[in-house]
C-alpha cells in the first residue's frame, strides 16, 4: 500500500492505470493504497458487481473492475478520462479505448505466499 500511495501521488486527472494480475494478486489492495495516499480513509472494495466506484478525493479517482464485461462500451468511461484518475482492473476489456500518449500506466501484480512483485510500465513517459 505504501508503494501504491507513493506512485499514485504522481498521477493527475487524465491518468489511466491498467491493473493486471490474477484473482487475489492485490489489484484492489493497490487501489486502497492509492486512495490512502489521497487521504481516503473509508472502506474500498472491488467493484466487481457494480463495475465502477468513484471516490471524491483530490484529484477524483474512478475504480473500475471489468472482469464480468465483454467491452467497456456504455460505461461512460470516456467521460471520466479527463477529469479522474482511472484505475482499471481486468483492462483487456478496454483494448479499443483511445488514449493520449503519456496517459497510460500498466501495472502488473504477481506473487505467491503474501509476496508481491509489481511491474510498472509507462509507455508514454518522457
Amino acid at each position: 500500500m505504501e508503494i501504491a500511495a507513493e506512485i499514485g501521488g504522481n498521477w493527475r486527472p487524465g491518468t489511466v492505470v491498467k491493473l493486471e494480475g490474477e484473482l487475489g494478486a492485490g489489484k484492489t489492495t493497490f487501489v486502497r493504497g492509492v486512495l490512502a495516499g489521497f487521504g481516503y480513509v473509508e472502506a474500498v472494495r472491488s467493484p466487481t458487481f457494480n463495475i465502477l466506484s468513484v471516490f471524491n478525493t483530490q484529484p477524483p479517482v474512478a475504480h473500475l473492475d471489468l472482469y464480468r464485461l465483454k467491452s467497456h462500451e456504455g460505461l461512460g468511461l470516456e467521460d471520466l478520462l479527463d477529469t479522474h484518475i482511472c484505475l482499471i482492473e481486468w483492462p483487456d476489456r478496454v483494448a479499443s479505448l483511445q488514449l493520449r500518449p503519456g496517459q497510460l500506466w500498466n501495472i502488473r501484480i504477481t506473487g505467491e505466499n503474501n509476496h508481491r512483485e509489481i511491474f510498472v510500465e509507462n509507455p508514454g513517459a518522457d
Side-chain angles (χ1 to χ4, degrees), residues 36-92:
F38 290 124
Y40 190 82
V41 296
E42 298 191 31
V44 177
R45 292 177 177 72
S46 178
T48 301
F49 295 102
N50 60 341
I51 313 296
L52 169 67
S53 296
V54 177
F55 299 91
N56 192 22
T57 54
Q58 288 301 322
V61 174
H63 178 202
L64 295 93
D65 184 327
L66 306 181
Y67 183 74
R68 299 182 309 119
L69 301 182
K70 294 181 179 175
S71 167
H72 73 280
E73 302 300 323
L75 283 179
L77 179 55
E78 290 83 358
D79 297 335
L80 299 172
L81 290 178
D82 291 329
T83 58
H84 291 67
I85 295 169
C86 295
L87 308 176
I88 304 172
E89 296 188 36
W90 304 101
D92 55 321

Side-chain angles (χ1 to χ4, degrees), residues 13-46:
T15 300
V16 176
V17 181
K18 292 184 175 183
L19 297 167
E20 299 178 340
E22 67 255 5
L23 287 170
K27 297 178 297 294
T28 299
T29 299
F30 188 90
V31 171
R32 284 185 191 111
V34 171
L35 288 166
F38 290 124
Y40 190 82
V41 296
E42 298 191 31
V44 177
R45 292 177 177 72
S46 178

